[in-house]
Amino acid sequence: MKFYLYFEILSFLISTALYYKKRNNLLLYFIPFLFLTVVIEVIGSGWVLTNWFSSYRYAIYNIFTTIEFIFYSSVFYSQFRKEYFKKIVIVFIPVFTFLVVVNLAFLQGLNKTFHTYTFLLGSFFVVVFCCCFFYESVLPERIDEQLSKQPFFWISSGLLIYYLGSVIINALFDYLTTNDMKIEGMRIYGIINNSLNVILYTSFIISFFLCPDNKKTSSLPSL
């Protein structure tokens, strides 16, 4: 089993446990997404349905990563305070979805290869959204808020590191897997990919613990 899968499972379990304690909306958003992530990764690791999964591997990951980008964009939309940042997300989601459909239907194919073109586009915009969040976080009206205690700061930091690293490592994938260094290149790719995933899900776990308690306290009935 891939090492980072333990962190994925742990982040899902922690988000679920903490939601019942805190009732925080951010946790609620992540529970079904992390559940889907764990299911895909467990199947992909070969625990169950190995033959079936291998036949549709590219299709499953192409669809899942598209859902992943839409999910992260939606979460950023819920966290942005500036209307023009929200409008960027509103435009991005349908345009990105359309481009993915075109790419999978006419260019790279649904189950022929990984959709690198639209994956790089989605990665770029997630990085842009992270930068937008950090920009909002240093505005004068929020300068007194301690970034390290904000749950979404950790999520944005993890996403920024993960997608910047993913863009670089995927851009170098063909070079790393050439005949001259195929074995060593795959080992390097695996180490970096595992490390990026560990950083991402560790940042999620930290953010979940920092989520405030949003439980509604019951009030006494008026007489």
Side-chain angles (χ1 to χ4, degrees), residues 74-92:
S74 301
V75 175
F76 273 107
Y77 177 87
S78 71
Q79 298 296 314
F80 283 150
R81 298 187 182 184
K82 299 294 183 182
E83 284 300 319
Y84 45 86
F85 290 156
K86 288 179 177 287
K87 289 178 180 177
I88 294 174
V89 177
I90 291 174
V91 173
F92 167 75

Side-chain angles (χ1 to χ4, degrees), residues 3-160:
F3 177 69
Y4 66 80
L5 183 51
Y6 293 107
F7 287 81
E8 289 182 356
I9 295 172
L10 184 61
S11 64
F12 167 67
L13 294 175
I14 289 175
S15 66
T16 304
L18 289 178
Y19 176 71
Y20 286 105
K21 178 182 178 182
K22 297 171 178 281
R23 303 293 180 183
N24 187 279
N25 287 335
L26 188 61
L27 290 167
L28 182 61
Y29 298 152
F30 272 87
I31 290 173
F33 171 72
L34 289 174
F35 176 75
L36 176 62
T37 302
V38 169
V39 169
I40 295 294
E41 291 289 1
V42 167
I43 295 175
S45 296
W47 282 14
V48 290
L49 302 175
T50 306
N51 294 331
W52 175 86
F53 188 92
S54 60
S55 299
Y56 299 97
R57 185 181 186 87
Y58 285 123
I60 292 169
Y61 277 113
N62 286 338
I63 294 171
F64 171 70
T65 50
T66 301
I67 294 172
E68 191 174 39
F69 285 122
I70 294 172
F71 169 76
Y72 288 140
S73 300
S74 301
V75 175
F76 273 107
Y77 177 87
S78 71
Q79 298 296 314
F80 283 150
R81 298 187 182 184
K82 299 294 183 182
E83 284 300 319
Y84 45 86
F85 290 156
K86 288 179 177 287
K87 289 178 180 177
I88 294 174
V89 177
I90 291 174
V91 173
F92 167 75
I93 291 177
V95 171
F96 175 73
T97 305
F98 172 75
L99 291 175
V100 169
V101 171
V102 171
N103 184 30
L104 297 181
F106 302 107
L107 298 175
Q108 294 186 291
L110 177 63
N111 200 36
K112 293 180 180 179
T113 187
F114 187 64
H115 66 136
T116 52
Y117 302 154
T118 39
F119 181 84
L120 290 174
L121 177 64
S123 300
F124 171 77
F125 272 93
V126 170
V127 171
V128 169
F129 295 153
C130 291
C131 294
C132 291
F133 171 78
F134 291 133
Y135 169 77
E136 282 193 342
S137 299
V138 297
L139 291 175
E141 59 267 26
R142 300 186 65 180
I143 199 66
D144 293 332
E145 299 178 15
Q146 190 172 345
L147 275 177
S148 61
K149 292 185 177 180
Q150 295 181 36
F152 204 68
F153 163 78
W154 290 97
I155 292 175
S156 295
S157 298
L159 288 173
L160 182 64

